[in-house]
Amino acid sequence: MELRLYLDEDSMDQRLVRALRARGMDVETALDAEMVAQPDEEHLRYAAGAGRVLHTFNVADFYALHGQFMEEGRDHAGIVLGTQQRYTVGDRMRRLLHLRAERTAEQMRNPVVFLTSV
């Protein structure tokens, strides 16, 4: 099964969304899901329930949430973390498309991946 993305409020740049969708990637944003202004845990829970890899710039909070989910035996569909000022839209697009090409949805179940390693 191919990766499907969920972009939280921090990462949902419309230029990136359009670029990824134009290249056939299934992308949902917090705005699409009516999740704007929801707590971080709700975003991760929503993405997990929808089988979507969550992409965010909120590194510290989501890394901690990942640990909490693992401690509690809860699964998620994967988390992709990045630093906001470090990547252009084109760079993020290429890295996310590379991730889709390299990993299946099953392979992304539960890990945290940093954009620097993609």
Side-chain angles (χ1 to χ4, degrees):
M1 183 186 215
E2 194 169 285
L3 287 183
R4 300 172 341 137
L5 281 179
Y6 173 76
L7 305 181
D8 76 348
E9 292 169 74
D10 292 338
S11 66
M12 64 178 191
D13 184 306
Q14 288 304 310
R15 296 169 301 166
L16 175 64
V17 172
R18 282 192 304 273
L20 290 170
R21 286 178 178 163
R23 287 155 181 84
M25 192 162 212
D26 184 336
V27 179
E28 183 176 32
T29 68
L31 188 62
D32 296 332
E34 299 180 357
M35 292 290 293
V36 173
Q38 294 299 312
D40 294 339
E41 185 172 348
E42 291 302 313
H43 285 283
L44 185 54
R45 196 178 340 213
Y46 174 82
R52 292 182 176 276
V53 175
L54 186 143
H55 173 43
T56 185
F57 291 130
N58 189 347
V59 174
D61 291 345
F62 279 94
Y63 196 79
L65 275 172
H66 163 73
Q68 179 184 328
F69 268 55
M70 296 302 95
E71 279 181 15
E72 296 170 358
R74 295 191 286 169
D75 291 327
H76 59 73
I79 302 172
V80 178
L81 300 173
T83 306
Q84 194 163 14
Q85 288 76 25
R86 185 171 183 157
Y87 302 99
T88 65
V89 169
D91 195 26
R92 285 173 59 204
M93 177 200 67
R94 284 185 293 281
R95 289 171 185 267
L96 291 169
L97 290 172
H98 179 75
L99 183 66
R100 178 184 70 173
E102 294 294 317
R103 297 195 189 188
T104 65
E106 292 79 21
Q107 291 169 322
M108 277 303 295
R109 186 176 168 165
N110 291 323
V112 171
V113 174
F114 290 88
L115 278 179
T116 54
S117 66
V118 177

